[in-house]
Amino acid sequence: MKLQRKNRLRATALGALAVSGALVLTACGSDDNTSGSTGGNGGKTTAASNIKCDDAKGQLPASGSSAQKNAMDLWAKNYMAGCKGVEINYKSSSSGEGIVAFNQGTVGFAGSDSALKPEEVADSKKICKGGQGINLPMVGGPIAIGFHLEGVDSLTLDAPTLAKIFDGKIKKWNDQAIAKLNTGAKLPDKAIQPFHRSEDSGTTQNLGKYLGAAAPSDWKYEAEKKWPAPGGQAASGSSGVAAQVKQVDGAIGYFELSYATSQSIPTVDINTGGATPVKATSENASKAIAAAKIKGTGKDLALDLDYTTKAEGAYPIVLVTYEVVCDKGNKAETLSTVKSFLNYTAGDEGQKLLTEAGYAPIPAEINAKVRETIASLS
């Protein structure tokens, strides 16, 4: 409970940053954070931090995953405080929209909560001259199942029950399946109102991967970015789903932990079949992500996650957000800034911020390969 309160307090500050649409942060007004900064080029490192600006300059447009938005807000603010004259413009939309923008050549990098599909890699070759799009794991974290049920502060569910709720098969909060997992809880005879993402979403796809792997008899849908099940109500972005759950009594939805903590939305503990139900925390998500294996080839670092883990304290509903870049053929005008900014986000300082913001850092062994790959981008 102390850890939850601590995370909630940390995340409260992030709530003010969680605005929708394009985020355009400038270095103006950040002087309090940049005392002694040497500026933004020539490989210099700021005195205020370990950010190496190199030849970063001008604007860097990027877009995609709303799952990493709160992390990207902090990263961009800190980076631009250290690297004067650089503007990071990350449009928080969805993984699907980010990949489309990347393959249209309108952004320097895209954020996606699922790795590029073969057809998306093929499309990327038109933009990445002499190369192709690759996946760089940058942000990890739990997909929290948030709920709003007056009089109920704690709730445990398992994969089959979650699958039936989101598929519309369990319709009331006092259903026997839910009551069995929550002995002693006063569950009301109230309709369940499930919320899902309205647009293509990597968060949706990762939830689908979990449900398909952990409850194959109850979730028959393919894990796609588009919400597959009938019924329910849709909202735009993780922020939109969280806002609806916050407002509607009887609601349940899915979004990254930072959205739950910033809005004080209670989250479901997951019964994985282990000794005790597992809470959605960055630490517990890290335990699951640490077991991930690299399945990508060459410079591609796409990961294979185990959604059926029963390891003690490992939270199974996790996602990894990738930054999608060209291995070769990146735009000359933004390449230096892309490499400098991603070096910061993948560095010790950038990754440390993730835990403070309710996310999970990428395991050190994998992150070392990420930094090596960033250095080799051309």
Side-chain angles (χ1 to χ4, degrees), residues 301-325:
L301 299 177
L303 301 179
D304 186 16
L305 299 169
D306 181 8
Y307 296 97
T308 62
T309 180
K310 292 181 174 59
E312 198 63 31
Y315 184 82
I317 318 177
V318 294
L319 62 73
V320 168
T321 296
Y322 301 96
E323 311 312 336
V324 177
V325 295

Side-chain angles (χ1 to χ4, degrees), residues 67 113 143 197 201-208 238 254-256 319:
D113 305 328
I143 300 174
R197 293 281 289 274
S201 160
T203 310
T204 294
Q205 187 171 38
N206 280 278
L207 176 64
S238 291
Y254 59 95
F255 31 79
E256 294 67 42
L319 62 73

Side-chain angles (χ1 to χ4, degrees), residues 120-139:
E120 292 169 338
V121 173
D123 286 344
S124 74
K125 294 179 180 179
K126 302 171 186 176
I127 298 299
C128 304
K129 302 301 182 183
Q132 65 179 47
I134 58 172
N135 304 282
L136 301 178
M138 196 68 67
V139 182

